[in-house]
Each structure stands twice: as structure tokens, then as C-alpha cells.
Amino acid sequence: MRRTRKRLAQISPVALLATIALTPPASAAEAPTPLTSPVRATALAEEIGEERTGGVYYEGDKLIVAVTDQAAAQSVRDAGGTPKLVTRSTAELASIHSELDELGDISNTAWGAEARTNQVVVELFNGVSEGDRAKINEIVADHPDAIRVEKVDSGLRFKATDLRGGNGITSSGWICTAGFNTKNSAGAVYTLTAGHCVPGTGNTWYMDWNGQAIGSQTSYNFGTGTGGKCDGSTRGCDWAAIRANASGINPLGTVRYWGGDYHQIDRSRYPAEGESIDRIGVNSQDKTGNVTKTSVTVNIGGKTMYGMMETNNCALGGDSGGPALNGTTALGLLSGGSDETVCTSSSSGNYRNYFTKVQTVLNERGLRVY
């Protein structure tokens, strides 16, 4: 005991102060890393438990973890987060949500928990019936502070799938390309493609990428289809018209290039020899071609087609029906041609492909591009 006192006495006051100054406070050394990841914050809330937390949300740039007791709040602080005391837990909000779900199909409504306000929010869109409102109000009355009802001055519908020229379309196991969307005098929309894709009528076409229905093929020609024997002058030789009226489809008057570039089509005409054209399809595009002849008789696979437009663009299988255009002007629908296997953006121009002149089809069917 004496030796210990003697040794401590030999340490100078200045040295002792220097030692203390160099030792960081325990609280500073143990400060947690700020909680900035919503994934980490959600995992923390799950660890604490849905009976003691009320959700995670941003307040400005700061993440907030809602909690129902002080011990849970301290757990959030210890993890570097910012807690907020609330009345209702995630479990309680979920239970109220489930009560609303039990109402079944209440058209033009939506509901869900909102951590920021610690409530379940019911949204009423235009068209909710009085009877359905009464059903919701019964549950609201049982939880007056926990449910907030908001009226939204808007209809509620599924987002339509846009259909443009150049999109891949399928029917009866075949894939082709949409050419141009057109309208008749009454405003009905018809999507043009190649008649050889699915000869006949009544077959339904779908978007290739998501299976959304487009509508039924109402007319076509592939040599002798519904328009009679084709002559390339008054009757197109390889085309089909699809009544694009399925629920959830939105036919636009544009052509989609690869990379997401869109060209609005606002006119149509017969082609001129030597003019530059772009050819777009589901499997390839070639923007380097020209019209080489404006009226060609071509014999392919036992079919003779008259008055076809010939170009030196490249094209691949599946591109059939796709659009040929010059700027905003519609010119043709791809039929067939030389047997290419690869197309690039700098094709050599040695190819030969043939198109039904779109103006012939528009005249024959009483349609126009838009």
C-alpha cells in the first residue's frame, strides 16, 4: 500500500493532465455510425418488432424510425438512427388495413399505412358508390383517429400500354412488327402490319414484350386475301389491319426507333426512287437505305406480288410488317427480300427488300396516318 502511494506521488501533475487529455471520452469513442440506409433502418425496425415500431420514413433528408416506447427509441439511437414516438404500431396499422381488405372489391379506392402520420389512409377516387362509402365509413368509425379519408378528384384506371410502329407484336405463335397506326373517318384505330404474318381474320394480336392484347385482325391481303387479287395499284399485296381497341392499349401515331427515339408520323405518300428511308423492326433497324425501285413484281415462296417498293435496306425475320419511313412520312410495310442474317447501323446497301406501299393500303381501306 505504501509503495503504491509513493509511486503515484512521483507522477507530476503536468504529466497526469497530458495523459487525461490524450484519452478520448468513452461516449465519443463509442458513437454509432449514423443510420442513413433505408434497408438498414427497415431491418432495425423488424428486429425491434412490429408491436413496438410504426414504420420507417424520410423527413426531408433524414430517416425516421417510428417507435411506440422509450426503450425502442433508445435502441434506434444506439443504432445511429432518429426515433419518433407514435401511438400506433405497425401491427395495429396492418390490422386496420386487413379490416379494409375484407371489404373486397371496392371500385375506385385505395388504402394503406402511412408511417409519417401513423395512420391508415383511405383514398376515394371519382366513381365510388354511396353504398361502398358507407361500408368504409363503418370501419372508419371504429378507428376514428387511426384512419384518414382523402377524396381524390380523378378517375382510377390501369395505365395503358403504348403501341407504336416498330413494336414487336405476336399472334398465333408468330412474331412480326407493327407498321403504322391509322384511323378511319370515324376515328377507329387500325394497326397495319404484314398480311403474310397470319393470313386470315379474327385472330387476336398481342404486344410481344408484355402480352397486352391489341385487338383482332379484321382484314388482310396476301396475294388474294379479303381485298381480292392484289395488283399493287389499287390493292396492296401484303398487309393486314388490326382493330386496335383492346382495353389497356394506347395506339400512338409514332414509330419507335431503337434506343427509345420516337418519330411522329404526320403524312403518307407514294415513294420516290432514290430517296433515303429508315426501316424499323422488332429484330433490327437499318437507317442507311434508299428506294431503288418504286414498282416491282416479286415472286417469293409461291406468291406473286405486284407494285412493291424495293429498297437496299437490311431486314431480318420478325421485322415483317415494320415501317419504312422518311422523316415523318409513312412509305411502306416490310414484306420480304434477300436472306440476311445480321443487320448493323452501317449496312452495306447490297440488300434487296420489298415493301407494300402504305399509301395503296390507306386508299384501299379508307384510312389515314396520324
Side-chain angles (χ1 to χ4, degrees), residues 85 89 109 126 146-147 169 209 219 224 230 236 248 252 259 269 294 321 345:
L85 282 172
S89 68
T109 62
N126 294 340
I147 301 178
I169 57 176
W209 73 273
S219 55
T224 59
C230 77
L252 300 174
R269 59 170 169 79
T294 59
S345 60

Side-chain angles (χ1 to χ4, degrees), residues 217-262:
Q217 186 163 302
T218 58
S219 55
Y220 83 105
N221 206 337
F222 183 35
T224 59
T226 53
K229 181 176 176 61
C230 77
D231 57 23
S233 175
T234 61
R235 294 188 179 95
C237 288
D238 188 6
W239 61 269
I242 305 160
R243 177 71 168 97
N245 62 348
S247 175
I249 198 70
N250 182 35
L252 300 174
T254 51
V255 168
R256 184 187 187 280
Y257 280 60
W258 286 34
D261 184 23
Y262 304 111

Side-chain angles (χ1 to χ4, degrees), residues 162-178:
D162 291 339
L163 169 62
R164 299 177 171 90
N167 285 150
I169 57 176
T170 64
S171 182
S172 303
W174 295 96
I175 182 168
C176 279
T177 301

Side-chain angles (χ1 to χ4, degrees), residues 143-206:
H143 310 278
D145 297 322
I147 301 178
R148 186 174 82 253
V149 178
E150 294 182 352
K151 294 181 180 179
V152 182
D153 187 17
S154 172
L156 191 61
R157 62 180 177 85
F158 289 109
K159 301 297 183 184
T161 296
D162 291 339
L163 169 62
R164 299 177 171 90
N167 285 150
I169 57 176
T170 64
S171 182
S172 303
W174 295 96
I175 182 168
C176 279
T177 301
F180 299 99
N181 288 321
T182 65
K183 290 182 179 180
N184 65 13
S185 59
V189 178
Y190 292 85
T191 300
L192 300 183
T193 189
H196 74 258
C197 292
V198 184
T201 58
N203 53 298
T204 300
W205 283 89
Y206 302 86

Side-chain angles (χ1 to χ4, degrees), residues 111-340:
W111 48 73
E114 187 177 77
R116 179 178 58 84
T117 59
N118 196 224
Q119 292 176 310
V120 172
V121 181
V122 176
E123 295 169 324
L124 304 179
F125 293 79
N126 294 340
V128 182
S129 70
E130 290 301 320
D132 286 341
R133 287 175 189 249
K135 294 176 184 177
I136 292 171
N137 287 337
E138 287 183 15
I139 296 178
V140 172
D142 291 336
H143 310 278
D145 297 322
I147 301 178
R148 186 174 82 253
V149 178
E150 294 182 352
K151 294 181 180 179
V152 182
D153 187 17
S154 172
L156 191 61
R157 62 180 177 85
F158 289 109
K159 301 297 183 184
T161 296
D162 291 339
L163 169 62
R164 299 177 171 90
N167 285 150
I169 57 176
T170 64
S171 182
S172 303
W174 295 96
I175 182 168
C176 279
T177 301
F180 299 99
N181 288 321
T182 65
K183 290 182 179 180
N184 65 13
S185 59
V189 178
Y190 292 85
T191 300
L192 300 183
T193 189
H196 74 258
C197 292
V198 184
T201 58
N203 53 298
T204 300
W205 283 89
Y206 302 86
M207 296 292 290
D208 176 51
W209 73 273
N210 69 350
Q212 165 66 49
I214 298 169
S216 296
Q217 186 163 302
T218 58
S219 55
Y220 83 105
N221 206 337
F222 183 35
T224 59
T226 53
K229 181 176 176 61
C230 77
D231 57 23
S233 175
T234 61
R235 294 188 179 95
C237 288
D238 188 6
W239 61 269
I242 305 160
R243 177 71 168 97
N245 62 348
S247 175
I249 198 70
N250 182 35
L252 300 174
T254 51
V255 168
R256 184 187 187 280
Y257 280 60
W258 286 34
D261 184 23
Y262 304 111
H263 282 214
Q264 176 65 47
I265 301 301
D266 55 22
R267 66 196 69 181
S268 62
R269 59 170 169 79
Y270 287 104
E273 185 175 319
E275 75 173 296
S276 175
I277 68 163
D278 296 344
R279 192 230 21 102
I280 314 299
V282 67
N283 285 329
S284 68
Q285 73 173 13
D286 187 356
K287 301 188 292 180
T288 63
N290 300 86
V291 176
T292 53
K293 298 179 183 66
T294 59
S295 185
V296 175
T297 300
V298 60
N299 302 280
I300 307 177
K303 290 284 184 178
T304 299
M305 293 177 290
Y306 305 91
M308 303 291 280
M309 175 179 78
E310 181 189 79
T311 81
N312 56 14
N313 298 73
C314 180
L316 301 179
D319 293 338
S320 291
L325 61 151
N326 184 339
T328 63
T329 302
L331 295 174
L333 303 167
L334 177 64
S335 180
S338 50
D339 191 15
E340 291 89 65

